mmCIF file of all heavy atoms in Angstrom:
data_model
loop_
_atom_site.group_PDB
_atom_site.id
_atom_site.type_symbol
_atom_site.label_atom_id
_atom_site.label_comp_id
_atom_site.label_asym_id
_atom_site.label_seq_id
_atom_site.Cartn_x
_atom_site.Cartn_y
_atom_site.Cartn_z
ATOM 1 N N LEU A 34 -10.965 161.434 -39.430
ATOM 2 C CA LEU A 34 -9.561 161.609 -39.071
ATOM 3 C C LEU A 34 -8.938 162.827 -39.756
ATOM 4 O O LEU A 34 -7.785 163.163 -39.506
ATOM 5 C CB LEU A 34 -8.779 160.341 -39.433
ATOM 6 C CG LEU A 34 -7.424 160.108 -38.749
ATOM 7 C CD1 LEU A 34 -7.576 160.001 -37.242
ATOM 8 C CD2 LEU A 34 -6.743 158.861 -39.311
ATOM 9 N N LEU A 35 -9.702 163.488 -40.606
ATOM 10 C CA LEU A 35 -9.142 164.596 -41.379
ATOM 11 C C LEU A 35 -8.574 165.695 -40.497
ATOM 12 O O LEU A 35 -7.532 166.287 -40.823
ATOM 13 C CB LEU A 35 -10.209 165.179 -42.313
ATOM 14 C CG LEU A 35 -10.494 164.392 -43.591
ATOM 15 C CD1 LEU A 35 -11.696 164.984 -44.318
ATOM 16 C CD2 LEU A 35 -9.280 164.375 -44.503
ATOM 17 N N SER A 36 -9.240 165.994 -39.395
ATOM 18 C CA SER A 36 -8.747 167.074 -38.535
ATOM 19 C C SER A 36 -7.391 166.749 -37.928
ATOM 20 O O SER A 36 -6.632 167.655 -37.561
ATOM 21 C CB SER A 36 -9.759 167.365 -37.427
ATOM 22 O OG SER A 36 -9.936 166.230 -36.590
ATOM 23 N N GLU A 37 -7.079 165.456 -37.809
ATOM 24 C CA GLU A 37 -5.768 165.043 -37.306
ATOM 25 C C GLU A 37 -4.737 164.968 -38.421
ATOM 26 O O GLU A 37 -3.548 165.245 -38.212
ATOM 27 C CB GLU A 37 -5.873 163.679 -36.616
ATOM 28 C CG GLU A 37 -6.755 163.648 -35.380
ATOM 29 C CD GLU A 37 -6.115 164.349 -34.191
ATOM 30 O OE1 GLU A 37 -4.943 164.751 -34.286
ATOM 31 O OE2 GLU A 37 -6.799 164.502 -33.163
ATOM 32 N N LEU A 38 -5.169 164.603 -39.608
ATOM 33 C CA LEU A 38 -4.244 164.451 -40.723
ATOM 34 C C LEU A 38 -3.828 165.788 -41.331
ATOM 35 O O LEU A 38 -2.645 165.989 -41.650
ATOM 36 C CB LEU A 38 -4.873 163.568 -41.807
ATOM 37 C CG LEU A 38 -5.037 162.089 -41.475
ATOM 38 C CD1 LEU A 38 -5.913 161.408 -42.515
ATOM 39 C CD2 LEU A 38 -3.686 161.396 -41.394
ATOM 40 N N ARG A 39 -4.777 166.699 -41.511
ATOM 41 C CA ARG A 39 -4.487 167.955 -42.210
ATOM 42 C C ARG A 39 -3.262 168.685 -41.665
ATOM 43 O O ARG A 39 -2.382 169.081 -42.437
ATOM 44 C CB ARG A 39 -5.707 168.878 -42.156
ATOM 45 C CG ARG A 39 -6.851 168.487 -43.058
ATOM 46 C CD ARG A 39 -7.889 169.586 -43.068
ATOM 47 N NE ARG A 39 -9.128 169.203 -43.727
ATOM 48 C CZ ARG A 39 -10.263 168.964 -43.086
ATOM 49 N NH1 ARG A 39 -10.313 169.064 -41.768
ATOM 50 N NH2 ARG A 39 -11.352 168.634 -43.750
ATOM 51 N N PRO A 40 -3.182 168.917 -40.346
ATOM 52 C CA PRO A 40 -2.028 169.684 -39.851
ATOM 53 C C PRO A 40 -0.705 168.945 -39.966
ATOM 54 O O PRO A 40 0.361 169.565 -39.865
ATOM 55 C CB PRO A 40 -2.387 169.946 -38.383
ATOM 56 C CG PRO A 40 -3.375 168.903 -38.024
ATOM 57 C CD PRO A 40 -4.146 168.632 -39.274
ATOM 58 N N ARG A 41 -0.747 167.634 -40.197
ATOM 59 C CA ARG A 41 0.483 166.854 -40.298
ATOM 60 C C ARG A 41 0.997 166.753 -41.730
ATOM 61 O O ARG A 41 2.112 166.273 -41.953
ATOM 62 C CB ARG A 41 0.259 165.454 -39.712
ATOM 63 C CG ARG A 41 0.058 165.462 -38.192
ATOM 64 C CD ARG A 41 -0.352 164.081 -37.686
ATOM 65 N NE ARG A 41 -0.321 164.005 -36.232
ATOM 66 C CZ ARG A 41 -1.306 164.405 -35.427
ATOM 67 N NH1 ARG A 41 -2.413 164.924 -35.964
ATOM 68 N NH2 ARG A 41 -1.207 164.296 -34.124
ATOM 69 N N PHE A 42 0.198 167.171 -42.697
ATOM 70 C CA PHE A 42 0.667 167.171 -44.073
ATOM 71 C C PHE A 42 1.710 168.275 -44.261
ATOM 72 O O PHE A 42 1.674 169.291 -43.553
ATOM 73 C CB PHE A 42 -0.493 167.408 -45.045
ATOM 74 C CG PHE A 42 -1.382 166.219 -45.235
ATOM 75 C CD1 PHE A 42 -2.756 166.335 -45.078
ATOM 76 C CD2 PHE A 42 -0.851 164.994 -45.575
ATOM 77 C CE1 PHE A 42 -3.578 165.243 -45.256
ATOM 78 C CE2 PHE A 42 -1.670 163.886 -45.750
ATOM 79 C CZ PHE A 42 -3.035 164.015 -45.591
ATOM 80 N N PRO A 43 2.618 168.107 -45.210
ATOM 81 C CA PRO A 43 3.573 169.188 -45.492
ATOM 82 C C PRO A 43 2.846 170.402 -46.042
ATOM 83 O O PRO A 43 1.796 170.276 -46.695
ATOM 84 C CB PRO A 43 4.510 168.568 -46.530
ATOM 85 C CG PRO A 43 3.714 167.479 -47.166
ATOM 86 C CD PRO A 43 2.835 166.932 -46.085
ATOM 87 N N ALA A 44 3.392 171.575 -45.778
ATOM 88 C CA ALA A 44 2.766 172.812 -46.253
ATOM 89 C C ALA A 44 2.701 172.847 -47.775
ATOM 90 O O ALA A 44 1.804 173.470 -48.353
ATOM 91 C CB ALA A 44 3.536 174.012 -45.722
ATOM 92 N N SER A 45 3.635 172.193 -48.441
ATOM 93 C CA SER A 45 3.623 172.119 -49.900
ATOM 94 C C SER A 45 4.221 170.790 -50.344
ATOM 95 O O SER A 45 5.016 170.189 -49.622
ATOM 96 C CB SER A 45 4.401 173.283 -50.517
ATOM 97 O OG SER A 45 5.766 173.213 -50.150
ATOM 98 N N PHE A 46 3.825 170.337 -51.511
ATOM 99 C CA PHE A 46 4.369 169.109 -52.097
ATOM 100 C C PHE A 46 4.138 169.160 -53.597
ATOM 101 O O PHE A 46 3.336 169.971 -54.092
ATOM 102 C CB PHE A 46 3.718 167.863 -51.477
ATOM 103 C CG PHE A 46 2.211 167.851 -51.531
ATOM 104 C CD1 PHE A 46 1.533 167.374 -52.643
ATOM 105 C CD2 PHE A 46 1.471 168.338 -50.465
ATOM 106 C CE1 PHE A 46 0.146 167.373 -52.693
ATOM 107 C CE2 PHE A 46 0.080 168.345 -50.498
ATOM 108 C CZ PHE A 46 -0.580 167.856 -51.620
ATOM 109 N N ASP A 47 4.837 168.323 -54.314
ATOM 110 C CA ASP A 47 4.713 168.321 -55.773
ATOM 111 C C ASP A 47 3.497 167.507 -56.223
ATOM 112 O O ASP A 47 2.511 168.051 -56.681
ATOM 113 C CB ASP A 47 5.998 167.789 -56.411
ATOM 114 C CG ASP A 47 7.189 168.702 -56.154
ATOM 115 O OD1 ASP A 47 6.970 169.920 -55.998
ATOM 116 O OD2 ASP A 47 8.320 168.197 -56.092
#
Side-chain angles (χ1 to χ4, degrees):
L34 200 61
L35 282 172
S36 62
E37 297 287 354
L38 290 169
R39 286 189 190 108
R41 291 172 170 84
F42 285 128
S45 64
F46 54 86
D47 295 331

